[in-house]
Amino acid sequence: MRAARLIKMVLLLQSRPAMSAAELAKELEVSERTVTRDAQALSEAGVPVYAERGRAGGYRLIGGYRTRLTGLARNEAEALFLSGLPSALREMGLEDAGSAARLKVSAALLPSLRDASSSAAQRFHLDAPSWYHEPEPPELLPAVADAVWDDRLLRARYRKGGGREHAGTEVRRELAPYGLVLKAGVWYLCAKAGRDFRVYRIDRFTSVEPAGERFERDAAFDLPAFWEARAAEFARSLLRTEVTVRVSESGARQLAYTRDRAAAAAALAEAPPAGPDGWRTVVLPVESLDVAYSQLLSLGPELEVVAPEELRGRFAEAVERLSDLYR
């Protein structure tokens, strides 16, 4: 791919006043000797590359030379809109396309604006994964991403999660892959299976294979709106039981940090006003009594469990154990 490398070298020199051989070698992922040969080849082809000798030397274009080789390929244009997500580009296999797109845009800008990309990158960075979680990109993500960008049907084997009855069961699906979502370090595929749109965790795919033919996208499909609706539906589906608690003013503020924020806000909004002691009685939807125990115990003396009795008994036992520890 020497031709592509020569083009990239010209664009690099066009976007900067000058570059050393070491800098070019690093950007092009070649040796400095290769950089020297490439510069000579460009010069022989009529591109005015000038080499300055010495420690402060390097390569630059002379005479205000500008190339018109700045048109974006489709994958580069798409990657450009994701350039604020370097880790996502890398995991989808689009890092090179994103780099080429940014370079072409930089080369096309006026000299006074060429530092805009680096200036913005030093002022905003999105770190998607949650704290204390080291994400592992799914092995099949690049193949799924290729199908998404290319509107190509996928034949896939998928390992079910969820309930115990079907957990781990593998199923075969032919999917129309519409979009990818990265949520707290976990990748999801929003796809059409038959007539329905569904969400699949990409790390549960055991195999994916392009079906060969492309599908025609539903123009009415809105990925952000679809994901928002499904995420809210999923969060609600987890809350299968209820507990009644009394919380202090401080406990009410902390509820949102111990569990689903929207569910906590809705429960507080429906609760009656605080009594003379400043405490409120709140009915909370929870995933299970075990989950409620682990979440609500962190509020300590700012929360009292009223019902069910089983959970109240577990809290009373925890209080006794803590008292024995600190007595």
Side-chain angles (χ1 to χ4, degrees), residues 169-236:
T169 303
E170 275 198 3
V171 294
R172 296 176 183 268
R173 294 283 186 267
E174 182 166 282
L175 305 173
Y178 269 68
L180 295 166
V181 175
L182 177 59
K183 169 75 171 178
V186 180
W187 283 94
Y188 297 88
L189 173 68
C190 301
K192 194 171 187 179
R195 296 183 178 181
D196 300 323
F197 285 98
R198 297 181 181 178
V199 176
Y200 300 86
R201 275 185 63 140
I202 292 182
D203 58 6
R204 289 186 185 154
F205 284 115
T206 58
S207 69
V208 294
E209 178 185 347
E213 63 270 25
R214 289 184 170 86
F215 65 92
E216 185 174 345
R217 281 181 167 263
D218 182 347
F221 179 78
D222 183 331
L223 178 60
F226 171 78
W227 176 258
E228 183 178 1
R230 283 302 173 91
E233 179 183 327
F234 175 72
R236 288 193 300 270

Side-chain angles (χ1 to χ4, degrees), residues 242-299:
E242 291 182 341
V243 299
T244 303
V245 300
R246 293 179 67 246
V247 289
S248 66
E249 184 178 347
S250 174
R253 289 196 300 269
Q254 294 177 55
L255 272 180
Y257 300 100
T258 62
R259 50 192 319 286
D260 181 78
R261 190 179 296 266
L268 287 169
E270 295 173 2
D277 59 358
W279 286 55
R280 305 175 66 183
T281 300
V282 183
V283 178
L284 290 173
V286 295
E287 185 175 345
S288 67
L289 295 187
D290 287 338
V291 172
Y293 175 79
S294 62
Q295 290 177 337
L296 301 179
L297 191 62
S298 63
L299 270 67

Side-chain angles (χ1 to χ4, degrees), residues 10-189:
V10 173
L11 291 173
L12 283 167
L13 293 174
Q14 184 174 308
S15 63
R16 307 179 194 181
M19 295 184 70
S20 69
E23 289 172 334
L24 283 168
K26 182 179 179 180
E27 290 281 356
L28 299 173
E29 298 180 346
V30 295
S31 67
E32 293 186 30
R33 182 173 295 181
T34 299
V35 168
T36 301
R37 288 198 296 264
D38 286 352
Q40 184 177 351
L42 287 171
S43 181
E44 291 172 355
V47 178
V49 178
Y50 176 71
E52 295 178 328
R53 305 288 182 182
R55 293 182 61 186
Y59 295 89
R60 62 184 177 88
L61 296 174
I62 59 175
Y65 179 85
R66 295 185 66 79
T67 177
R68 294 183 179 274
L69 296 173
T70 52
L72 293 177
R74 181 173 182 85
N75 69 328
E76 294 170 349
E78 291 169 337
L80 183 61
F81 288 98
L82 294 171
S83 58
L85 302 169
S87 60
L89 280 175
R90 183 171 57 253
E91 291 171 12
M92 287 189 289
L94 294 172
E95 187 174 24
D96 288 343
S99 175
R102 290 191 298 274
L103 181 58
K104 288 181 178 181
V105 170
S106 178
L109 292 174
L110 294 172
S112 60
L113 299 176
R114 285 179 188 160
D115 68 341
S117 60
S118 60
S119 175
Q122 295 306 317
R123 287 164 172 79
F124 174 76
H125 175 70
L126 177 62
D127 186 8
S130 58
W131 288 105
Y132 313 117
H133 175 69
E134 189 65 33
E136 294 185 8
E139 183 180 347
L140 297 176
L141 175 60
V144 175
D146 283 346
V148 170
W149 297 123
D150 205 26
D151 292 344
R152 194 172 294 278
L153 291 170
L154 275 179
R155 294 191 183 97
R157 292 178 64 90
Y158 186 74
R159 187 178 66 255
K160 284 188 172 183
R164 295 178 182 177
E165 182 180 351
H166 301 292
T169 303
E170 275 198 3
V171 294
R172 296 176 183 268
R173 294 283 186 267
E174 182 166 282
L175 305 173
Y178 269 68
L180 295 166
V181 175
L182 177 59
K183 169 75 171 178
V186 180
W187 283 94
Y188 297 88
L189 173 68

Side-chain angles (χ1 to χ4, degrees), residues 296-323:
L296 301 179
L297 191 62
S298 63
L299 270 67
E302 306 302 327
L303 176 141
E304 176 195 359
V305 174
V306 177
E309 191 60 37
E310 176 188 346
L311 184 60
R312 183 178 174 86
R314 291 181 64 180
F315 268 67
E317 181 185 353
V319 170
E320 289 180 6
R321 290 169 59 193
L322 282 169
S323 179

